[in-house]
């Protein structure tokens, strides 16, 4: 496993080398690591932005040479660019986004520019962050989620009656993910790829833990379904966002 000094050294080395690529206009580090990495399992999140869209493929080839000691590199296409999961032999993971500067987006409130050859990277990051802040006033999305959660709970109730417990477990996971996203919104925590549940309200976490059934049996599943519903209703009640349509809750009377 890598050490903190190893990670810092590899980050500086990678950023220094990539900044010399003629195709690269900017390098942005994102995530909690810009201040201090939480622990030895933390990965490095970087955005490499190019001057032109057609330079992405060339930078991708260069990264193969940079990360010659990679255990595995997984490539994923994203809108306007590419995402790379890079796993090094020492256990360290680089998550790299390749985008032309004009397509730069920032979902994280934590970011730091490491390279900006023209000044355009900073301008683009600021403008895209303002757009994202606007998007986060997503009341309409929350109202939509409201139905998705209740509808999922209805499906869970049917599948419990059918004895389809593996599907029930999967569907419960879907509901929990929605409830965590709602909690992040209510607590004004960054929602993008949020995973440090330890930072959430203790009472919420206590109630969330109680929604995991200990047995693949009908009664424990029903109890946990009821707890999911109660947690959802409590979130709404505690945060006084709006009243839930009682007619929608009637679909749970199955």
């Amino acid at each position: 496993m890598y050490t903190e000094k190893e990670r810092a050294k590899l980050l500086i080395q990678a950023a220094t080398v990539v900044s010399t690529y003629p195709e690269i206009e900017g390098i942005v580090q994102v995530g909690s690591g810009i201040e201090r990495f939480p622990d030895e399992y933390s990965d490095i999140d970087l955005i490499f932005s190019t001057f032109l869209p057609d330079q992405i493929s060339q930078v991708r080839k260069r990264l193969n040479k940079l990360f010659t000691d990679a255990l595995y590199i997984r490539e994923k296409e994203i809108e306007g660019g590419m995402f790379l999961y890079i796993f090094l032999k020492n256990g360290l993971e680089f998550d790299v986004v390749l985008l032309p500067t004009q397509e730069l987006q920032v979902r994280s409130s934590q970011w730091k520019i490491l390279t900006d050859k023209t000044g355009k990277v900073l301008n683009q990051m600021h403008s895209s962050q303002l757009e994202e802040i606007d998007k986060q006033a997503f009341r309409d999305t929350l109202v939509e989620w409201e139905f998705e959660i209740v509808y999922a709970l209805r499906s869970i109730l049917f599948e419990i009656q059918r004895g389809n417990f593996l599907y029930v477990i999967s569907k419960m996971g879907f509901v929990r993910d929605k409830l965590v996203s709602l909690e992040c919104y209510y607590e004004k925590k960054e929602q993008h790829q949020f995973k440090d549940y330890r930072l959430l309200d203790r009472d919420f976490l206590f109630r969330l833990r109680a929604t995991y059934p200990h047995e693949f049996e009908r009664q424990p599943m029903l109890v946990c379904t009821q707890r999911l519903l109660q947690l959802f209703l409590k979130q709404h009640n505690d945060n006084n966002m709006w009243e839930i349509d009682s007619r929608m809750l009637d679909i749970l009377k199955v």
Side-chain angles (χ1 to χ4, degrees), residues 142 144-157 160 167-184 186 197 200 204 207-209 211-213 221 223-233 235-236 252:
L142 294 180
E144 188 176 320
W145 281 6
E146 185 179 89
F147 174 74
E148 289 182 10
I149 290 170
V150 174
Y151 187 72
L153 291 172
R154 173 186 166 88
S155 298
I156 288 171
L157 290 172
I160 289 175
Y167 178 84
V168 167
I169 293 295
S170 173
K171 207 66 176 175
M172 283 182 171
F174 167 83
V175 174
R176 289 190 200 95
D177 287 344
K178 293 292 187 187
L179 296 184
V180 168
S181 295
L182 284 171
E183 190 65 22
C184 289
Y186 293 139
Y197 287 18
L200 294 174
F204 171 80
R207 293 173 183 275
L208 188 68
R209 283 195 295 267
T211 67
Y212 287 83
M221 296 283 187
V223 169
C224 288
T225 304
Q226 182 63 27
R227 288 173 179 171
L228 283 169
L229 175 61
Q230 289 170 348
L231 179 53
F232 172 57
L233 296 176
Q235 283 181 297
H236 275 66
L252 296 176

Side-chain angles (χ1 to χ4, degrees), residues 125-139:
M125 291 294 285
H126 276 314
S127 62
S128 68
Q129 189 170 42
L130 289 173
E131 290 172 6
E132 188 63 30
I133 289 173
D134 290 338
K135 291 177 185 176
Q136 288 181 4
F138 55 86
R139 177 188 167 94

Side-chain angles (χ1 to χ4, degrees), residues 33-189:
I34 66 167
E35 296 177 357
R36 187 174 184 275
F37 290 101
D39 52 42
E40 68 272 24
Y41 304 105
S42 302
D43 51 24
I44 295 175
D45 300 306
L46 295 171
I47 302 174
F48 298 151
S49 71
T50 60
F51 288 96
L52 300 170
D54 58 9
Q55 293 175 323
I56 295 291
S57 59
Q58 182 59 38
V59 174
R60 171 68 182 91
K61 293 176 183 176
R62 292 183 185 277
L63 292 180
N64 278 336
K65 296 179 181 179
L66 175 61
F67 293 104
T68 53
D69 62 338
L71 185 67
Y72 180 63
I73 298 179
R74 181 71 175 185
E75 181 180 311
K76 176 183 176 182
E77 288 188 14
I78 59 175
E79 186 175 355
M82 189 180 299
F83 189 100
L84 299 175
Y85 298 93
I86 302 172
F87 303 92
L88 303 188
K89 292 178 181 177
N90 65 353
L92 179 59
E93 176 184 344
F94 276 81
D95 291 337
V96 175
V97 174
L98 303 180
L99 282 172
T101 299
Q102 65 189 40
E103 299 294 335
L104 270 181
Q105 300 174 26
V106 54
R107 296 183 180 179
S108 173
S109 60
Q110 299 173 300
W111 53 272
K112 177 172 67 176
I113 292 179
L114 305 182
T115 298
D116 187 358
K117 296 178 181 177
T118 62
K120 293 180 179 178
V121 174
L122 178 60
N123 289 337
Q124 182 66 25
M125 291 294 285
H126 276 314
S127 62
S128 68
Q129 189 170 42
L130 289 173
E131 290 172 6
E132 188 63 30
I133 289 173
D134 290 338
K135 291 177 185 176
Q136 288 181 4
F138 55 86
R139 177 188 167 94
D140 289 344
T141 300
L142 294 180
V143 173
E144 188 176 320
W145 281 6
E146 185 179 89
F147 174 74
E148 289 182 10
I149 290 170
V150 174
Y151 187 72
L153 291 172
R154 173 186 166 88
S155 298
I156 288 171
L157 290 172
F158 280 127
E159 297 307 323
I160 289 175
Q161 301 304 326
R162 292 170 174 152
N164 190 8
F165 296 143
L166 284 175
Y167 178 84
V168 167
I169 293 295
S170 173
K171 207 66 176 175
M172 283 182 171
F174 167 83
V175 174
R176 289 190 200 95
D177 287 344
K178 293 292 187 187
L179 296 184
V180 168
S181 295
L182 284 171
E183 190 65 22
C184 289
Y185 177 76
Y186 293 139
E187 294 188 34
K188 302 187 185 310
K189 287 185 168 57

